[in-house]
Amino acid sequence: MPLGNSPFRKYILGLETKVPLANGQQTNYINFDNAATTPPLYSVIKTLNDFAPWYSSIHRGQGYKSLLSSEFYEDSRKIVLNFVKGNPVSHTVVYGKNTTEAINKLSYRLSNSEGKNVILTTEMEHHSNDLPWRNRFTVDYIKSTDDGSISLADLESKLIKYNDRVRLITLTGASNVTGYKNPIYKAAGLAHHYHTKILIDAAQLIPHSPIDMKHANESEKIDFLVFSAHKMYAPFGTGVLIAPKETFLNGSPEYSGGGTVKVVTQDNVYWDLPPHKEEAGTPNIMGIIALMEAINSLTKFGLDKISNYEEKLCNYTAKQLQNIPDLKIYNTKKIPKVAIIPFNIKGIRHDILARCLSHEAGIAVRNGCFCAQPYIQKILKISPGEIKRHINNTELHPGLVRISFGMYNTYEEINKLIEILNDISKDKNKYLRKYS
């Protein structure tokens, strides 16, 4: 039985935090909900504290602190581009609140362009990479293969079908439900062959795997990339949109106000150049400082090393889960994935199971549909009639329980999870009486 601490565990804040249990005792919190939000790195908090005395306005004054803060803010764009191997000549970095805002911003911008009006996406997308496109474009969904990844053959057939009307292909780098990775570079190659561009939602991918926007094969480069700092050990909320500079050259921004203009008169507005035109209001410099330190730390640790460690955790957990009665795992296909395991135990609702793990063992998991309801509906084979029944009543939606690992999780934590899941499965009535 493998045991031992993660080589990255010492860098994470809050792992010794005690939480209360149903029996009145306390235990160390075990977080298996990293796909939603990761805990902060010690170095991130230290860097924020060190910078705090120098915190000031961005682009708003000639005071020393303001100049220093502005310099940090602008230099951060180079660090972001270097992290994902973006092109500083052709790409710009736009900051926002989160990945959701980044995708909405791009949807708004592209909808103001003439001509192409089709968006190709997938059925495995987070709602944030589905809903922003629906009211502005014709959206079509690339089919999945039997192994759960997207069908490149179907992607190509749809590119041919729409005959140069495709404005953008937009897909997740890794599913937040199954963890399955998509062949993003091959999809990019198809996009460019058929004269369109590609957006990768890297929110689930970026803390686990290296990303190369330029790519050795020029035809397989990534045009647009979005991700969020809060999934890569950096709190305070920052979303990143990397895009070709010409995307934002013309037209007005989605949000206007301070920081977006060169000149304003009562009759006219002369917009600033991107990215400043797209960043209305006072920027979130503390969020950017947190992101920069997280990038520096992840680079130092090595994303390949992180990925290899998390893959071992995931494989060990899946093997142990297979021995638990009535437990079903929903991502058993042998394809590349990030460290996520979705499952259910027969006879126990997903919300009750998650509550049991929290109150009985201090273990945090996510349950429900993970903001990916169409994908969950497909995975669980939910009929249209059943979906309709859930629209107009308060009955709990069908869903899953999700384990998602971070680089700091350990085999010992996994063994505690397996122990309590075994107990729940073998004595369901006890837990149903207690938590239903």
Side-chain angles (χ1 to χ4, degrees), residues 54-112:
W54 303 95
Y55 170 78
S56 187
S57 59
I58 308 298
H59 310 146
R60 300 295 194 270
Q62 292 300 312
Y64 183 83
K65 288 185 179 182
S66 179
L67 292 173
L68 183 67
S69 294
S70 299
E71 183 179 356
F72 270 113
Y73 185 77
E74 291 305 327
D75 285 349
S76 70
R77 302 186 205 270
K78 303 172 189 175
I79 296 172
V80 167
L81 284 175
N82 185 60
F83 183 56
V84 297
K85 296 181 173 59
N87 189 330
V89 175
S90 60
H91 283 132
T92 189
V93 175
V94 178
Y95 292 127
K97 295 194 296 292
N98 43 47
T99 302
T100 302
E101 183 178 67
I103 295 173
N104 274 275
K105 183 179 290 292
L106 183 60
S107 173
Y108 170 82
R109 170 62 59 204
L110 296 185
S111 70
N112 288 336

Side-chain angles (χ1 to χ4, degrees), residues 170-241:
T170 177
L171 65 150
T172 184
S175 166
N176 74 317
V177 176
T178 58
Y180 290 152
K181 293 182 182 179
N182 279 320
I184 58 176
Y185 302 111
K186 291 181 179 179
L190 283 172
H192 300 133
H193 180 76
Y194 288 95
H195 315 296
T196 189
K197 293 184 179 349
I198 191 165
L199 162 69
I200 300 301
D201 175 358
Q204 287 302 325
L205 188 62
I206 200 157
H208 308 287
S209 298
I211 296 173
D212 184 352
M213 291 188 71
K214 282 195 284 193
H215 204 261
N217 185 342
E218 172 69 16
S219 68
E220 296 185 348
K221 67 182 180 180
I222 304 300
D223 302 292
F224 301 91
L225 189 77
V226 292
F227 60 89
S228 289
H230 74 98
K231 296 184 190 293
M232 47 194 299
Y233 307 95
F236 287 88
T238 299
V240 177
L241 166 61

Side-chain angles (χ1 to χ4, degrees), residues 51-325:
F51 179 77
W54 303 95
Y55 170 78
S56 187
S57 59
I58 308 298
H59 310 146
R60 300 295 194 270
Q62 292 300 312
Y64 183 83
K65 288 185 179 182
S66 179
L67 292 173
L68 183 67
S69 294
S70 299
E71 183 179 356
F72 270 113
Y73 185 77
E74 291 305 327
D75 285 349
S76 70
R77 302 186 205 270
K78 303 172 189 175
I79 296 172
V80 167
L81 284 175
N82 185 60
F83 183 56
V84 297
K85 296 181 173 59
N87 189 330
V89 175
S90 60
H91 283 132
T92 189
V93 175
V94 178
Y95 292 127
K97 295 194 296 292
N98 43 47
T99 302
T100 302
E101 183 178 67
I103 295 173
N104 274 275
K105 183 179 290 292
L106 183 60
S107 173
Y108 170 82
R109 170 62 59 204
L110 296 185
S111 70
N112 288 336
S113 302
E114 297 294 329
K116 300 180 178 183
N117 67 337
V118 175
I119 297 292
L120 296 182
T121 186
T122 81
E123 57 193 357
M124 66 170 62
E125 300 304 314
H126 190 284
H127 294 162
S128 295
N129 197 26
D130 180 357
L131 303 185
W133 307 106
R134 290 192 182 189
N135 64 346
R136 292 176 173 144
F137 298 90
T138 297
V139 178
D140 202 350
Y141 297 90
I142 307 160
K143 293 178 181 177
S144 298
T145 62
D146 289 340
D147 65 11
S149 60
I150 65 166
S151 167
L152 293 176
D154 187 61
L155 169 58
E156 185 165 22
S157 71
K158 284 182 167 60
L159 286 165
I160 294 170
K161 169 187 173 182
Y162 289 108
N163 191 26
D164 209 32
R165 287 174 49 217
V166 175
R167 190 73 182 86
L168 186 72
I169 299 168
T170 177
L171 65 150
T172 184
S175 166
N176 74 317
V177 176
T178 58
Y180 290 152
K181 293 182 182 179
N182 279 320
I184 58 176
Y185 302 111
K186 291 181 179 179
L190 283 172
H192 300 133
H193 180 76
Y194 288 95
H195 315 296
T196 189
K197 293 184 179 349
I198 191 165
L199 162 69
I200 300 301
D201 175 358
Q204 287 302 325
L205 188 62
I206 200 157
H208 308 287
S209 298
I211 296 173
D212 184 352
M213 291 188 71
K214 282 195 284 193
H215 204 261
N217 185 342
E218 172 69 16
S219 68
E220 296 185 348
K221 67 182 180 180
I222 304 300
D223 302 292
F224 301 91
L225 189 77
V226 292
F227 60 89
S228 289
H230 74 98
K231 296 184 190 293
M232 47 194 299
Y233 307 95
F236 287 88
T238 299
V240 177
L241 166 61
I242 302 174
K245 290 180 180 178
E246 66 265 20
T247 307
F248 298 106
L249 281 175
N250 300 315
S252 59
E254 181 182 15
Y255 295 103
S256 57
T260 63
V261 299
K262 287 183 177 179
V263 177
V264 176
T265 70
Q266 289 187 344
D267 301 315
N268 292 294
V269 177
Y270 301 90
W271 301 108
D272 203 347
L273 294 173
H276 303 118
K277 180 171 73 169
E278 300 298 325
E279 296 175 348
T282 299
N284 178 10
I285 179 62
M286 297 303 273
I288 300 304
I289 295 293
L291 173 62
M292 292 308 96
E293 178 54 35
I295 286 175
N296 291 337
S297 293
L298 291 174
T299 301
K300 179 179 68 176
F301 301 156
L303 283 168
D304 286 328
K305 292 180 181 178
I306 291 170
S307 179
N308 289 338
Y309 176 73
E310 292 173 341
E311 183 179 358
K312 291 176 182 176
L313 289 182
C314 199
N315 291 340
Y316 174 75
T317 306
K319 185 175 180 180
Q320 301 304 311
L321 290 174
Q322 290 169 5
N323 298 322
I324 296 176

